[in-house]
Amino acid sequence: MWGYLSLLPAFLAIWAVAGIWTVFALAVANKSVNLNEGFPYISICGSYPPQSCLFSQVLNMGAALAAWICILRYHQLQDWGVTRRFNQLILWTGLLSALGTSMVGNFQQKNQKPTHLTGAFLAFFVGILYFWLQLLLFWRKKNLPQPGSPWIGPLRLGLCTICTILMVKKRHRHTGRRICEDGGRDWSDASASQRLPTITEAKRETRNRFSLQPSEGTWPC
């Protein structure tokens, strides 16, 4: 059973990317957006029916999967001996990111912009923090048995760095303009880069098959 659960991060990445591009395709097909005026933000594409319904469903489903993954990861780290305080910090950043994703989908830019912006901040910026905390855990625990190939660590570092640069660049470019376009536009690039660490996590967990082996004592973080 645990081996199948380890595929959830990969399924989440596929679901998010496929769902967002489907919303974009529907918006273009029913002329809710005009490509001649420039490439539209996904928040704009998801603001008009009927694709707004699919937009909400995709993000709600993604948020539920993300929360499930974070809880599973929490129990795994607990069995590895990670201290409760740091483990809960990781858990809550992940759950806040999932909550923000649901807020983005349910409170579209056109209808409730302030709430939409709040959700975008939680989904992207707090979500980035979640991956950096996971990376910090990876390096601080490198002397203990660690499943997966040795290239997983550098790959995760590269993905987190690229994702952070994209977010900072987008935020800087739109300073003084509509911030929701910071978070909303890049479900095609920022979301992909944000979800890629979950794919590497899934591959690592699949190899481990979730055969958790608690270490002696606890890991002081």
Side-chain angles (χ1 to χ4, degrees), residues 114-157:
T115 310
H116 183 85
L117 294 181
T118 302
F121 174 81
L122 293 175
F124 287 93
F125 289 93
V126 179
I128 296 291
L129 176 61
Y130 175 81
F131 289 120
W132 277 112
L133 289 174
Q134 293 284 353
L135 186 64
L136 173 63
L137 174 67
F138 181 88
W139 288 109
R140 288 289 300 274
K141 206 177 180 184
K142 59 185 178 181
N143 293 328
L144 298 178
Q146 185 71 27
S149 302
W151 51 264
I152 291 291
L155 177 61
R156 295 173 74 181
L157 175 61

Side-chain angles (χ1 to χ4, degrees), residues 54-195:
L54 178 61
F55 184 63
S56 297
Q57 186 65 25
V58 168
L59 295 193
N60 285 331
M61 184 68 176
L65 286 171
W68 190 6
I69 291 168
C70 291
I71 293 172
L72 288 174
R73 180 65 169 171
Y74 171 82
H75 286 291
Q76 183 185 48
L77 296 179
Q78 186 179 51
D79 288 341
W80 279 353
V82 177
T83 55
R84 181 178 179 181
R85 180 174 299 181
F86 189 73
N87 200 8
Q88 287 184 345
L89 175 62
I90 294 176
L91 173 64
W92 282 108
T93 54
L95 293 180
L96 285 175
S97 178
L99 174 63
T101 302
S102 180
M103 291 171 62
V104 169
N106 292 323
F107 300 93
Q108 287 91 11
Q109 172 188 341
K110 178 182 177 182
N111 302 320
Q112 188 58 248
K113 184 177 179 179
T115 310
H116 183 85
L117 294 181
T118 302
F121 174 81
L122 293 175
F124 287 93
F125 289 93
V126 179
I128 296 291
L129 176 61
Y130 175 81
F131 289 120
W132 277 112
L133 289 174
Q134 293 284 353
L135 186 64
L136 173 63
L137 174 67
F138 181 88
W139 288 109
R140 288 289 300 274
K141 206 177 180 184
K142 59 185 178 181
N143 293 328
L144 298 178
Q146 185 71 27
S149 302
W151 51 264
I152 291 291
L155 177 61
R156 295 173 74 181
L157 175 61
L159 293 174
C160 288
T161 301
I162 292 173
C163 189
T164 302
I165 293 174
L166 286 174
M167 297 301 299
V168 172
K169 179 181 178 182
K170 191 62 63 176
R171 178 65 180 89
H172 178 73
R173 177 182 298 178
H174 291 271
T175 299
R177 299 171 62 183
R178 285 182 282 185
I179 302 175
C180 63
E181 296 178 352
D182 279 1
R185 178 174 186 173
D186 290 302
W187 270 97
S188 58
D189 55 350
S191 175
S193 61
Q194 187 176 5
R195 302 306 176 191

